[in-house]
């Protein structure tokens, strides 16, 4: 796709930035990192010894520090994630969950961890209903009802125990230091705080950290979180049992069951029913990845409870039969196919995807080429499908057909964060973690320094269509459906590239578009990440970022029958790539969310 000049940043144009990145990464025995020594933030870096890409420079530097000290990709991923819990606390942290995808270079095999939050054992299908009607979404979010059992600490422990080379306490040290000494507030952090000010002020523990002096922190100021530093220190000393069987967990439960609201607040904050038994019973799940073949690549991602791997995989299988190269397809023709494949895959997602411990999820059928072909023949070059589109049945594929009644795609919060890591041995991690909405539930655990998730609002509050079975209604101990899509792509059994993104249900379309822009359209990875995005999720209108919304391509697509609406920003991807000469390339956003941070251990000069 042809990019507007402001959004295009080719590898040749950023080679000069590589030296800056390497110089900014802290040495193995670095001085305490504080606001005055903030690393440079650049979107691409190339070199040896390993790579880290995230949305935040302090977090990427934490991962690089662990790699330089001899840690592997898993160690560095946990260190980066923990640092994001400090500098991106409205998107991630120990109060949330996520999905971890790992390539083991020695075994040439991909493993995954489902670290999704779970509903309390008392949860029923009517969790978010009162008097037979769904709660207003905002009321449900800012409440104890929305908080699921956190999965992030268990994910870290499972990953380190399975494949790490450093203890938890060691890899938490960079994040503990950032929390204690502080980080520099940027415009993204300030604006996200301001957007949440009305609810943050109603919780004294939240306001104490994020509204210093009663207002959002000023850009350029230093924000510290000594409570979180102590929490990390305790986790490092005692392990994650401090959450699942210990005093931190007891504080989480009491906060959920009796939200600590300012007595002067007028907000009605509903209590949740999380118990210490829910925490004791939680386990992160090691499970097999999803896998599809695409243009000679093997694409691996996360299986249900996330819908990411199956939905991206189904859409890729649908696109497999079309030649999307610039020589064979114009920008409009490529986007038309991409949009329609997304529409179809989302129709199937809504009908079939839920927690496999509770639902019969036909994962194999959804990922079969036979089923993709039966659905892909719905796409016409000269017409547009109508949403909501009816789902198909992967157990009984019918050519160009759908079954049952269509149901709209339910809402999903859009704030999450993603990191991608590689090490000198060739191991790779693609890890997306979240607390759901920007700022999660809005409730900080007093004295602990972290926000609690509102992940349970990812459940359907009521069936999307009463005539269609909804696999994503709440249930006891159930994991809500996710769109998280951390992806690792292999070529001949070796890493080619890896990527992922935040963005709620737009995560799926972001990963799909970046992957096809890179593989089919031939864009360098950093350009594929920067390219203006479209997102179709079985809705009447397709969302477009501004550069596409004002383009001639939009006019060409509207002539086919497409309907568009403007979305200022879709996703915030990061990725890494193994270059043919053995170097790693780390890539992040050029402008979205203020731009991302790509770093390598040992920068190389020249392209």
């Amino acid at each position: 796709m042809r990019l507007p000049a402001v959004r295009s940043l080719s590898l040749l144009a950023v080679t000069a930035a590589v030296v800056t990145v390497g110089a900014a990464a802290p040495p193995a025995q670095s001085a305490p990192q504080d606001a005055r020594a903030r690393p440079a933030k650049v979107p691409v870096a190339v070199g040896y010894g390993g790579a880290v890409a995230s949305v935040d420079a302090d977090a990427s530097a934490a991962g690089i520090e662990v790699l330089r000290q001899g840690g592997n990709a898993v160690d560095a991923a946990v260190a980066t994630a923990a640092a994001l819990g400090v500098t991106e606390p409205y998107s991630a942290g120990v109060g949330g969950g996520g999905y971890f995808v790992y390539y083991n270079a020695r075994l040439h095999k991909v493993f995954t961890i489902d670290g999704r939050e779970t509903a309390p054992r008392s949860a029923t299908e009517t969790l978010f209903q009162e008097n037979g009607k769904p709660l207003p979404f905002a009321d449900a979010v800012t409440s104890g009802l929305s908080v699921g059992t956190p999965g992030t600490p268990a994910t870290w422990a499972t990953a380190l125990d399975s494949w790490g080379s450093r203890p938890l306490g060691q890899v938490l040290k960079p994040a503990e230091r950032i929390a204690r000494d502080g980080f520099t507030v940027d415009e993204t952090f300030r604006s996200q705080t301001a957007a949440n000010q009305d609810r943050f002020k109603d919780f004294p523990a939240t306001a104490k950290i994020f509204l210093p002096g009663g207002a959002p922190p000023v850009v350029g100021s230093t924000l510290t979180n000594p409570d979180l530093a102590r929490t990390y220190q305790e986790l490092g000393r005692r392990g994650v049992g401090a959450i699942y069987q210990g005093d931190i967990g007891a504080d989480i439960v009491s906060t959920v069951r009796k939200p600590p609201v300012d007595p002067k607040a007028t907000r009605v904050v509903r209590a949740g029913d999380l118990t210490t038994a829910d925490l004791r019973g939680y386990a992160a799940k090691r499970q097999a990845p999803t896998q599809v073949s695409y243009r000679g690549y093997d694409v691996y991602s996360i299986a249900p409870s996330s819908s990411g791997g199956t939905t991206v995989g189904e859409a890729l299988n649908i696109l497999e039969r079309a030649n999307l190269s610039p020589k064979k397809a114009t920008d409009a023709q490529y986007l038309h196919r991409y949009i329609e494949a997304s529409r179809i895959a989302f129709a199937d997602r809504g009908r079939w995807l839920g927690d496999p411990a509770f639902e019969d999820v036909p994962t194999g059928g959804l990922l079969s080429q036979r089923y993709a072909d039966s659905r892909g023949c719905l796409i016409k070059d000269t017409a547009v499908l109508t949403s909501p589109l009816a789902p198909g049945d992967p157990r009984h594929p019918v050519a160009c057909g759908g079954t049952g009644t269509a149901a709209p795609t339910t809402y999903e919060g859009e704030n999450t964060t993603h990191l991608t890591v590689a090490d000198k041995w060739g191991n790779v991690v693609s890890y997306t973690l979240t607390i759901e909405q920007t700022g999660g539930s809005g409730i900080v655990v007093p004295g602990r320094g972290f926000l609690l998730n509102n992940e349970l609002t990812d459940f359907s509050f009521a069936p999307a269509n009463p005539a269609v079975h909804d696999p994503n209604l709440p249930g006891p101990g159930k994991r809500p459906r996710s769109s998280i899509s951390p992806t690792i792509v292999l070529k001949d059994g070796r890493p080619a590239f890896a990527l992922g993104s935040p963005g709620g249900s737009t995560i799926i379309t972001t990963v799909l578009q970046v992957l096809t822009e890179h593989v089919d359209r031939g864009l360098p990875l950093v350009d594929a990440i920067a390219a203006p995005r479209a997102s179709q999720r079985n809705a009447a209108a397709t969302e477009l970022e501004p550069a596409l919304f004002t383009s001639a391509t939009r006019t060409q697509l509207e002539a086919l029958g497409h309907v568009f609406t403007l979305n200022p920003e879709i996703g915030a991807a990061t990725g890494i790539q193994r270059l043919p000469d053995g170097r790693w390339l780390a890539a992040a956003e050029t402008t979205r969310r203020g731009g991302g941070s790509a770093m390598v251990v040992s920068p190389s000069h020249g392209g």
Side-chain angles (χ1 to χ4, degrees):
M1 174 180 286
R2 216 174 274 279
L3 303 175
V6 70
R7 300 304 292 270
S8 180
L9 185 63
S10 69
L11 178 58
L12 291 176
V14 297
T15 301
V18 174
V19 178
T20 305
V21 175
Q29 301 298 325
S30 61
Q33 183 176 311
D34 57 30
R36 292 171 302 232
R38 186 169 177 81
K41 196 174 189 181
V42 296
V44 67
V46 181
Y48 299 96
V52 180
S54 80
V55 74
D56 180 76
D58 286 312
S60 294
I64 291 292
E65 179 179 338
V66 169
L67 291 176
R68 284 191 165 164
Q69 291 172 343
N72 64 22
V74 173
D75 305 323
V78 174
T80 305
L84 287 168
V86 183
T87 61
E88 294 286 311
Y90 307 150
S91 302
V94 295
Y99 297 89
F100 192 101
V101 179
Y102 165 63
Y103 169 78
N104 184 300
R106 182 175 61 84
L107 299 177
H108 307 299
K109 188 174 180 180
V110 176
F111 301 88
T112 75
I113 300 171
D114 179 334
R116 184 65 156 165
E117 301 90 335
T118 56
R121 296 178 184 183
S122 61
T124 68
E125 290 188 356
T126 60
L127 176 66
F128 292 112
Q129 296 181 27
E130 287 184 359
N131 302 318
K133 295 182 180 180
L135 285 171
F137 191 80
D139 291 355
V141 167
T142 309
S143 76
L145 281 177
S146 70
V147 181
T149 302
T152 290
T155 301
W156 294 351
T158 302
L160 291 172
D161 290 348
S162 300
W163 314 296
S165 67
R166 298 290 187 271
L168 179 64
Q170 186 172 336
V171 300
L172 290 181
K173 285 296 181 185
E176 179 188 330
R177 186 177 67 230
I178 297 168
R180 183 186 65 244
D181 297 342
F183 65 95
T184 303
V185 172
D186 61 14
E187 176 54 35
T188 298
F189 189 92
R190 189 212 63 80
S191 64
Q192 288 180 342
T193 309
N196 281 282
Q197 184 172 357
D198 283 347
R199 64 191 190 120
F200 281 5
K201 68 179 175 55
D202 288 344
F203 302 98
T206 307
K208 172 188 169 186
I209 299 170
F210 301 122
L211 298 174
V218 176
V219 173
S221 64
T222 299
L223 191 75
T224 64
N225 192 339
D227 287 346
L228 183 56
R230 285 189 291 270
T231 294
Y232 280 156
Q233 190 175 47
E234 186 169 350
L235 289 175
R237 186 175 65 251
R238 298 177 52 199
V240 300
I243 286 178
Y244 296 104
Q245 295 95 29
D247 56 347
I248 299 176
D251 289 347
I252 291 172
V253 168
S254 63
T255 302
V256 170
R257 297 181 72 86
K258 190 176 181 180
V261 186
D262 189 319
K264 299 188 294 293
T266 59
R267 182 185 303 274
V268 175
V269 181
R270 292 162 176 81
D273 196 32
L274 193 72
T275 67
T276 54
D278 291 317
L279 267 65
R280 287 196 304 272
Y282 183 85
K285 296 182 177 180
R286 280 188 54 175
Q287 60 186 35
T290 61
Q291 187 271 328
V292 297
S293 297
Y294 187 71
R295 317 286 193 217
Y297 292 92
D298 292 308
V299 182
Y300 292 87
S301 190
I302 191 74
S305 59
S306 181
S307 64
T310 54
T311 310
V312 171
E314 180 183 350
L316 288 173
N317 283 339
I318 291 170
L319 294 173
E320 178 77 23
R321 303 301 191 196
N323 189 331
L324 302 178
S325 71
K327 292 182 179 179
K328 295 293 184 179
T330 65
D331 287 350
Q333 289 169 331
Y334 157 69
L335 281 172
H336 172 66
R337 283 273 168 176
Y338 154 74
I339 287 168
E340 296 294 74
S342 298
R343 189 191 312 270
I344 293 168
F346 264 89
D348 293 332
R349 168 190 179 269
R351 169 62 184 85
W352 299 107
L353 266 297
D355 184 345
F358 291 78
E359 302 288 336
D360 182 14
V361 183
T363 301
L366 288 167
L367 292 172
S368 73
Q369 189 64 53
R370 175 175 173 241
Y371 181 63
D373 292 345
S374 77
R375 298 289 279 160
C377 66
L378 291 168
I379 300 175
K380 307 301 180 188
D381 290 335
T382 57
V384 174
L385 294 167
T386 301
S387 288
L389 185 71
D393 187 344
R395 299 166 303 188
H396 306 288
V398 176
C400 305
T403 59
T405 305
T409 297
T410 54
Y411 177 77
E412 186 176 330
E414 294 192 355
N415 209 10
T416 303
T417 194
H418 180 81
L419 61 98
T420 320
V421 180
D423 64 29
K424 63 184 178 182
W425 299 283
N427 303 300
V428 175
V429 171
S430 185
Y431 181 23
T432 314
L433 59 161
T434 181
I435 60 170
E436 225 282 51
Q437 287 284 101
T438 306
S441 65
I443 306 171
V444 163
V445 180
R448 299 300 185 178
F450 60 86
L451 284 155
L452 291 172
N453 69 83
N454 66 290
E455 215 65 60
L456 301 188
T457 58
D458 271 355
F459 284 122
S460 303
F461 288 17
N465 184 328
V468 181
H469 172 71
D470 191 327
N472 191 41
L473 293 171
K478 190 175 183 180
R479 285 162 154 83
R481 180 172 62 207
S482 174
S483 295
I484 287 175
S485 311
T487 300
I488 295 177
V489 181
L490 306 185
K491 181 76 169 180
D492 300 324
R494 300 293 193 275
F497 60 97
L499 73 155
S501 176
S505 56
T506 69
I507 293 172
I508 290 168
T509 57
T510 296
V511 169
L512 177 65
Q513 187 173 355
V514 173
L515 195 152
T516 54
E517 295 272 18
H518 182 54
V519 171
D520 291 295
R521 308 299 283 176
L523 292 183
L525 186 59
V526 69
D527 287 358
I529 288 172
R533 293 188 186 128
S535 182
Q536 167 54 242
R537 306 186 302 282
N538 197 24
T542 298
E543 296 174 8
L544 295 183
E545 287 188 323
L548 277 174
F549 197 77
T550 58
S551 69
T553 301
R554 171 193 168 190
T555 304
Q556 296 167 26
L557 290 167
E558 286 177 332
L560 292 178
H562 287 278
V563 176
F564 297 110
T565 185
L566 179 65
N567 186 331
E569 187 174 274
I570 299 174
T574 71
I576 59 98
Q577 181 180 8
R578 187 72 155 181
L579 299 178
D581 61 7
R583 292 179 298 165
W584 289 109
L585 180 149
E589 295 286 356
T590 58
T591 57
R592 293 183 186 94
R593 292 201 186 183
S597 172
M599 295 185 181
V600 293
V601 172
S602 299
S604 61
H605 299 271

